[in-house]
């Protein structure tokens, strides 16, 4: 595996290729294992391989410890829940806190949980009694009213009857009156029950009682205005107070059962006024007591939660860290003597000294007699890809990684993407007014970087913040291309010189029919300002932008093919240079490079040749005379040569490579009929997983088909990819047209009315339309298309992208998880 | 003539930018090479775009036809 930094004949360049990685093996004695993993986690430069992948989670060495950490994590989640319910927020951790022991944390968590659970249970109980008493009080009030009013009407009725001595009214008189007026010997013993029933069930309740007792009950309900908290459910409900009068034991038991079924709470009530008043004062007193007790309970709970809140973040982090450490320890395998753990992992070559340092520190700190062993293993496995990026290059690297992570040590497209991506975006966005708006927005993000990076932002803001340097580059290039296209919110300005065009004669009579002529020198920087608003603006600009797109596209595709040359040189594959790079360059440049040259010649000479015609007839009838489409002498011969070269290059990139690869494979494996034994020189019996195959398979038909597909993709892709670059023209046209419409149809029209109110409305609409459509939607659109041009048209010339990313064991991510 | 002069100006700006980057952000040979590559790429891209637009207007085949003035 070529592990040198500078491959081939080029000096090494940062970010161009993955850092050289090596497979390292670490042997640690048991007592220093925990500390070793902890220090390696702080270092964050080792990606451990799981050596126990066949074992289930329960069979692993440290399963018990993980369970312990899981329990503690559960308790912490419970605390967090309780704290958020009570509105207590955990204190932020300071940087340097004293290190705490996991056992202490466990004990403390257990104690606090028990306390909190107890306080909660007590609170619940007290709250329930409180609610019951509230209900009882209501019952006392309402039933008391009812009895009192019945008593009053009974006494009035009695006096009436005594005065009237008539019997017809007896039916309308309340029952109580009968109880009081009839002879004591003839008294029917009535019992009564009082309680509360939910309002929505009250009618059904009455009806069922009536039916169950065959109409032998008398029920009275009275509505409670405010809602009451039900003791059982703890929620507010609308209830009615009811009084049921019945006679007989059977009726009583039926009523009791029905009350239970309806969830109607019953409370005792006595008829005598004196007892009623006594109960009332008692209940009121108890309610006040309970209220203070509940208040005290809540205060105590709050204090407890605040004490938890003080150390919460610290414990949280510690538990998560420990869990991560134990997970990692589970990946190390136990060696035969059971006295040490063996771990394998990938790490960058430059980190070797740091890792050895950490191992030594861990051995010293854990007071072990034996130090840890660190050695490098040789393997044929493909290492993970690791690029050292800073805050500027990270975003660009992520853009490339989103398509596919680079294979180990292949050329990294993000080197050139850092410049070409914002540039192609700007070609599609070109307006220096909009560019300045984008620049201001992104400067805000960059200047408040430190503050915003520690905050928790929403999803969209997170993405915009992460890409702030990309947007910064995009805005700078947009200002440049805006100056070239000469568009400031679609208005052109003669910033660099005056326009090159003038009327043909002094009266300017033909300005609107035949047009102006070019009298002075070409406008020195960008598009001439006279074009905006003319009738021939679109034909001119379209021709310019389409040809520009082709030129830029051919340039970027050539860059892609040259990157494949860098790769071939680095991996020392001569076959790739001669039988892939060379024919590809010849094919692309003989056809589309030639087209680019024709475009430039046409512009320089001002010829009226039709380039479509030239290109198409180059293929259809190459022997024909060119006539008026001749751009330079001997064009026919040149075209025939290029056509011949292009045709020859197709079999050149298709046929030789598979045969050469086959010959190379045979030469390599001459006389090898068995696999080599593993070469590991440790004294411990450890297998190196994977990478130990000594005999590679070589399927000729597969290689051939692969090469065929590659060739067809390139040849057809040359045409389609070149045409795909025309989206640079399409989007820039869309942008300038939208911008022009908003300016003319909104702002100028609002100005034309000469009314201040309409003007203000017009300005507002213009601002919203510009920000919403042009700054947000067009930015996203151009971003997406520039991305596509990079991912497909540029990268398919050289990028394989089938590697995997280096994911080291580090504690930085542990703090950011929200489990 | 003007084309060559402006192209030279672009080249000059590119060289000055590379030197400034080397002075302000000197961080070791491989990093310096990366910075140089980026500056040169940016200069080439910007020059290409300017050159295309300039050459296209040197000998125009279409002339501006003003629209009706209201």
């Amino acid at each position: 595996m070529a592990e040198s930094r500078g491959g081939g004949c080029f000096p090494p360049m940062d970010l161009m290729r993955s850092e050289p990685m090596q497979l390292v093996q670490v042997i640690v004695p048991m007592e220093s294992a925990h500390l070793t993993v902890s220090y390696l986690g702080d270092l964050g430069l080792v990606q451990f391989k799981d050596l126990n992948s066949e074992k289930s989670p329960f069979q692993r060495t440290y399963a018990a410890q993980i369970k312990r950490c899981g329990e503690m994590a559960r308790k912490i989640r419970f605390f967090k829940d309780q704290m958020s319910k009570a509105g207590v927020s955990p204190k932020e951790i300071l940087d340097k806190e004293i290190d705490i022991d996991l056992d202490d944390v466990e004990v403390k968590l257990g104690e606090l949980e028990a306390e909190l659970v107890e306080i909660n249970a007590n609170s619940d109980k007290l709250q329930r009694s409180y609610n019951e008493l509230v209900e009882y009080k209501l019952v006392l009030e309402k039933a008391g009213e009812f009895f009192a009013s019945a008593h009053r009407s009974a006494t009035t009725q009695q006096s009436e009857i005594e005065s009237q001595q008539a019997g017809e009214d007896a039916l309308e008189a309340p029952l109580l009156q009968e109880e009081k007026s009839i002879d004591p010997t003839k008294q029917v013993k009535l019992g009564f029950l009082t309680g509360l029933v939910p309002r929505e069930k009250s009618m059904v309740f009455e009806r069922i009682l009536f039916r169950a007792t065959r109409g032998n009950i008398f029920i009275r309900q009275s509505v409670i205005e405010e809602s009451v908290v039900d003791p059982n459910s703890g929620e507010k409900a609308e209830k009615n107070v009811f009084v049921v009068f019945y006679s007989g034991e059977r009726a009583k038991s039926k009523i009791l059962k029905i009350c239970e079924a309806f969830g109607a709470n019953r409370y005792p009530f006595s008829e005598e006024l004196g007892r009623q008043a006594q109960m009332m004062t008692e209940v009121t007193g108890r309610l006040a007591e309970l209220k203070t007790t509940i208040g005290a309970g809540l205060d105590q709970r709050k204090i407890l939660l605040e004490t938890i809140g003080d150390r919460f973040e610290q414990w949280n982090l510690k538990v998560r860290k420990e869990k991560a450490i134990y997970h990692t320890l589970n990946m190390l395998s136990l060696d035969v003597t059971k006295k040490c753990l063996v771990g394998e992992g990938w790490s960058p070559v430059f980190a070797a000294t740091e890792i050895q340092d950490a191992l030594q520190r861990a051995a010293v700190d854990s007071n072990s007699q034996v130090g840890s062993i660190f050695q490098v293993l040789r393997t044929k496995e493909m290492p993970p890809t690791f690029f050292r990026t800073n805050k500027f290059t990270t975003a660009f690297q992520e853009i490339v990684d989103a398509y596919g992570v680079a294979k180990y040590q292949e050329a990294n497209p993000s080197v050139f993407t850092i410049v070409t991506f914002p540039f192609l975006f700007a070609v599609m966005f070109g307006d220096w007014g909009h560019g300045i708006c984008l620049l201001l927005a992104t400067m805000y993000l960059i200047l408040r970087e430190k503050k915003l990076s520690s905050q928790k932002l929403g999803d969209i803001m997170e993405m915009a913040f992460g890409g702030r340097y990309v947007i910064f580059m995009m805005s700078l290039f947009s200002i440049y291309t805006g100056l070239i296209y000469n568009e400031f919110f679609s208005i052109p300005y003669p910033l660099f010189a005056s326009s090159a065009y003038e009327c043909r004669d002094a009266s300017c009579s033909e300005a609107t029919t035949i047009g102006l002529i070019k009298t002075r020198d070409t406008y020195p920087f960008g598009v001439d300002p006279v074009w905006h608003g003319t009738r021939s603006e679109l034909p001119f600009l379209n021709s310019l932008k389409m040809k520009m797109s082709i030129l830029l596209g051919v340039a970027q595709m050539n860059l892609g093919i040259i990157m494949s040359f860098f790769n071939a040189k680095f991996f020392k594959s001569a076959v790739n240079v001669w039988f892939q790079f060379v024919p590809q360059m010849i094919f692309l440049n003989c056809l589309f490079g030639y087209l680019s040259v024709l475009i430039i010649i046409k512009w320089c000479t001002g010829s009226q040749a039709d380039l479509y015609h030239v290109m198409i007839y180059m293929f259809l009838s190459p022997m024909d005379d060119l006539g008026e489409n001749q751009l330079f002498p001997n064009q026919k011969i040149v075209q025939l040569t290029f056509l011949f070269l292009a045709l020859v290059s197709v079999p050149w990139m298709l046929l030789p490579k598979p045969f050469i690869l086959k010959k190379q494979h045979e030469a390599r494996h001459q006389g090898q009929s068995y696999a080599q034994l593993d070469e590991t020189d440790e004294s411990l019996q450890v297998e190196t997983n994977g990478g130990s195959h000594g005999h590679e398979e070589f399927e000729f038909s597969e290689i051939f088909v692969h090469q065929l597909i590659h060739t067809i993709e390139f040849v057809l892709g040359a045409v389609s990819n070149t045409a795909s670059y025309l989206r640079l023209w399409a989007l820039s046209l869309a942008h300038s047209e939208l911008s022009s419409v908003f300016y003319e149809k909104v702002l100028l029209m609002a100005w034309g009315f000469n009314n201040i109110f309409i003007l203000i409305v017009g300005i507002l609409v213009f601002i919203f339309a510009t920000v919403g459509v042009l700054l947000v939607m067009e930015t996203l659109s151009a971003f997406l298309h520039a991305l596509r041009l990079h991912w497909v048209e540029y990268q398919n010339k050289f990028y394989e992208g089938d590697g995997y990313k280096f994911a080291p064991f580090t504690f930085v991510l542990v703090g950011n998880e929200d489990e | 003539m003007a084309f060559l002069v402006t192209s030279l100006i672009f080249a000059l700006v590119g060289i000055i930018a590379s030197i400034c980057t080397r002075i302000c952000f000197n961080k070791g040979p491989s990093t310096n090479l990366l910075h140089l590559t980026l500056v040169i790429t940016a200069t080439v891209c910007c020059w290409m775009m300017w050159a295309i637009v300039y050459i296209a207007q040197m000998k125009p085949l279409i002339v501006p036809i003003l629209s009706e003035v209201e």
Side-chain angles (χ1 to χ4, degrees), chain A residues 334-345:
Chain A
L334 213 52
D335 101 278
V336 188
T337 62
K338 296 243 185 283
K339 289 225 197 75
C340 37
L341 287 169
V342 184
E344 274 179 23

Side-chain angles (χ1 to χ4, degrees), chain A residues 11-14 415-416 419 423 480-481 484-485 501 511-516 518 522-528 530-531 533-536 540 544 551-552 603-608, chain B residues 2 6 10 27 29-35 37-39 41-69:
Chain A
M13 185 158 79
D14 240 11
V415 168
F416 289 101
V419 170
F423 178 68
Y480 178 78
T481 56
I484 293 217
Y485 288 152
Y501 290 87
T512 52
T513 48
I514 308 180
L516 312 172
K518 182 165 181 281
T522 319
Y523 189 73
F525 191 85
V527 172
D528 201 300
V530 76
W531 286 102
T534 58
R535 287 199 300 189
S536 52
F540 171 71
L544 166 69
L551 289 169
L552 291 176
W603 275 342
C604 288
T605 57
S607 140
Q608 295 206 337
Chain B
T6 320
F10 266 95
K27 275 196 182 87
S30 62
T31 318
N32 283 345
L33 187 58
L34 175 68
H35 292 158
T37 309
L38 292 180
V39 170
T41 313
T43 312
V44 167
C45 285
C46 292
W47 172 81
M48 245 187 354
M49 187 156 182
W50 168 82
I52 290 170
V53 171
Y54 185 84
I55 295 177
Q57 293 183 101
M58 276 193 329
K59 298 201 167 133
L61 293 168
I62 308 177
V63 287
I65 302 175
L66 302 176
S67 53
E68 310 286 316
V69 181

Side-chain angles (χ1 to χ4, degrees), chain A residues 580-595:
Chain A
Q580 201 155 299
F581 166 69
V582 170
Q584 281 182 347
M585 280 297 264
I586 291 178
F587 184 81
L588 188 70
N589 287 318
C590 282
L591 296 180
F592 296 101
Y594 176 59
L595 174 61

Side-chain angles (χ1 to χ4, degrees), chain A residues 451-465:
Chain A
K451 191 160 162 297
L452 287 171
S453 63
S454 55
Q455 274 178 7
K456 189 99 176 56
L457 310 161
D459 272 331
I460 297 180
M461 267 310 281
E462 192 93 35
M463 275 199 286
F465 181 70

Side-chain angles (χ1 to χ4, degrees), chain A residues 591 594-595 598 609-630 635-644 647:
Chain A
L591 296 180
Y594 176 59
L595 174 61
L598 283 181
D610 183 353
L611 291 179
Y612 288 123
H613 197 270
V614 169
M615 283 306 288
I616 291 174
Y617 282 91
M618 178 167 143
F619 284 91
L620 289 185
S621 35
M623 306 301 287
D624 267 6
D625 227 3
L626 287 162
E628 58 194 22
N629 288 332
Q630 181 110 4
Q635 189 173 346
K636 191 162 100 175
I637 299 177
V638 169
Q639 282 186 190
L640 281 169
T641 321
F642 282 164
L643 190 63
F644 174 71
L647 283 175

Side-chain angles (χ1 to χ4, degrees), chain A residues 287-394:
Chain A
L287 272 176
E289 254 177 54
L290 268 180
K291 212 172 167 87
T292 42
T293 319
I294 290 178
L298 282 176
D299 283 339
Q300 195 192 11
R301 184 159 162 251
K302 191 146 183 167
I303 293 175
L304 183 65
L305 285 175
E306 272 170 10
T307 15
I308 294 179
D310 276 344
R311 311 296 295 281
F312 178 75
E313 286 295 335
Q314 208 187 9
W315 290 334
N316 200 5
L317 200 63
K318 178 80 185 172
V319 168
R320 287 220 200 112
K321 246 172 111 159
E322 290 295 318
K323 202 158 173 203
I325 292 179
Y326 283 118
H327 271 302
T328 310
L329 279 172
N330 270 342
M331 292 202 259
L332 311 178
S333 79
L334 213 52
D335 101 278
V336 188
T337 62
K338 296 243 185 283
K339 289 225 197 75
C340 37
L341 287 169
V342 184
E344 274 179 23
W346 292 104
S347 80
V349 168
F350 68 78
T353 38
E354 288 175 47
I355 296 178
Q356 283 177 309
D357 214 26
L359 289 175
Q360 228 177 6
R361 267 188 305 129
V364 163
D365 286 346
S366 62
N367 301 325
S368 85
Q369 294 115 337
V370 193
S372 315
I373 301 177
F374 172 86
Q375 55 182 324
V376 178
L377 300 173
R378 290 188 175 290
T379 173
K380 281 207 167 74
E381 256 180 64
M382 193 172 75
T385 313
F386 179 49
F387 290 111
R388 273 200 283 188
T389 53
N390 54 28
K391 66 183 177 184
F392 179 74
T393 50
T394 299

